[in-house]
Amino acid sequence: MAGDVFDKNCPSRGVLEHVTSRWGVLVLAALGERELRFGELHRRIGGVSQKMLAQTLRTLADDGFVERTVIPAAPPQVSYRLTETGEQVAGHVVGLVGWIEQHLPEILAAREATPAR
Amino acid sequence: MAGDVFDKNCPSRGVLEHVTSRWGVLVLAALGERELRFGELHRRIGGVSQKMLAQTLRTLADDGFVERTVIPAAPPQVSYRLTETGEQVAGHVVGLVGWIEQHLPEILAAREATPAR
DNA sequence: CCGTATCCCACCAGATACTG
DNA sequence: CAGTATCTGGTGGGATACGG
């Protein structure tokens, strides 16, 4: 009943791609810190367009990782937070991202060492 | 000196994209189990083309996560294994992938629950 | 067996403009 | 503020064929 990502027809592939998508990772990492509004997310995640942010939030919401809350007001406010399962995936993502940030120097050093190509 | 993935100009972005790329995740997960030859990787990771597998292995090797070993023989053998830092990233990736495989049922259930769009 | 070389295209994603 | 609409192009990635 569990998935197998090595099987090209397994639906876990899709989920994995949503989570590890270019902006998906960063959205999960950002929401892993705290609940954020659309505009806050937009500012927090450098370089993301409104279009891609909205699209990414939608697929993550569809998979049940993110919850969207509309606060009726003028101007309107929409807030995003992780669901319970969202917290769990985000935990793994945050761990991965944190590791990369920490070890960036040695990775860049390895790249320098790469001979001509 | 550490990276910041939320900064669009930080090089950690590039590393993150290599690691979380469509095939990068699966290569790391596969090599997390054991050292594998090119052909074995090709069979293990369903749906990957030779081109993308070679390309992915190259960028992961450049970042110092994977080591390529040529065994002179006829027919030639080329083996891939994780480096020490590679073991560490792969650990996080394996954790993430494993979580998704385990919780696939509830994620799919959440999708079903998604109203019309 | 382990790749590289070419060709080609879908679609991901950016830019810009517009709306409730 | 929080999006959607439209247009457009770059590139990730597939198919096929060939070479060491």
Side-chain angles (χ1 to χ4, degrees):
Chain A
M1 194 57 200
D4 174 16
V5 290
F6 293 115
D7 173 6
K8 75 170 169 182
N9 296 126
C10 180
S12 61
R13 278 279 181 93
V15 177
L16 184 61
E17 278 161 26
H18 294 166
V19 171
T20 62
S21 70
R22 182 168 186 191
W23 304 114
V25 190
L26 298 178
V27 165
L28 290 173
L31 294 179
E33 299 172 341
R34 66 181 185 84
E35 178 170 1
L36 290 166
R37 308 226 326 253
F38 186 88
E40 293 176 320
L41 273 169
H42 192 211
R43 283 185 295 278
R44 183 82 229 271
I45 302 175
V48 71
S49 65
Q50 287 191 324
K51 173 188 162 184
M52 290 313 299
L53 181 54
Q55 194 174 107
T56 302
L57 284 166
R58 188 136 42 99
T59 71
L60 291 179
D62 286 353
D63 284 350
F65 297 138
V66 167
E67 192 180 19
R68 181 178 187 271
T69 310
V70 181
I71 302 155
Q77 298 190 3
V78 182
S79 196
Y80 294 91
R81 69 177 196 83
L82 296 175
T83 61
E84 200 138 325
T85 71
E87 295 274 6
Q88 296 184 45
V89 243
H92 289 282
V93 170
V94 166
L96 174 62
V97 166
W99 186 94
I100 290 178
E101 289 179 336
Q102 293 296 324
H103 296 74
L104 184 58
E106 60 189 277
I107 297 167
L108 296 182
R111 277 200 201 157
E112 292 302 315
T114 304
R117 173 137 305 160
Chain B
M1 194 56 201
D4 174 17
V5 289
F6 293 116
D7 173 6
K8 75 169 167 181
N9 296 125
C10 180
S12 60
R13 279 278 181 93
V15 177
L16 184 61
E17 278 161 27
H18 295 165
V19 171
T20 62
S21 69
R22 180 167 186 194
W23 304 114
V25 191
L26 299 178
V27 166
L28 290 173
L31 294 179
E33 298 172 341
R34 67 179 185 87
E35 179 171 359
L36 291 168
R37 308 229 324 254
F38 186 89
E40 293 176 322
L41 273 168
H42 193 210
R43 283 186 294 277
R44 183 83 230 268
I45 302 175
V48 70
S49 65
Q50 286 191 325
K51 174 187 163 184
M52 289 313 300
L53 181 54
Q55 194 174 108
T56 302
L57 283 166
R58 186 138 32 100
T59 72
L60 291 178
D62 285 355
D63 284 350
F65 296 137
V66 167
E67 191 179 18
R68 182 177 186 272
T69 309
V70 181
I71 301 154
Q77 299 192 1
V78 182
S79 195
Y80 294 90
R81 69 178 196 83
L82 295 175
T83 61
E84 201 137 324
T85 72
E87 294 276 5
Q88 297 183 45
V89 245
H92 289 282
V93 170
V94 166
L96 174 62
V97 166
W99 186 93
I100 290 177
E101 288 180 336
Q102 293 296 324
H103 296 74
L104 185 58
E106 61 188 276
I107 297 167
L108 295 182
R111 278 200 201 155
E112 292 303 314
T114 304
R117 174 137 306 161

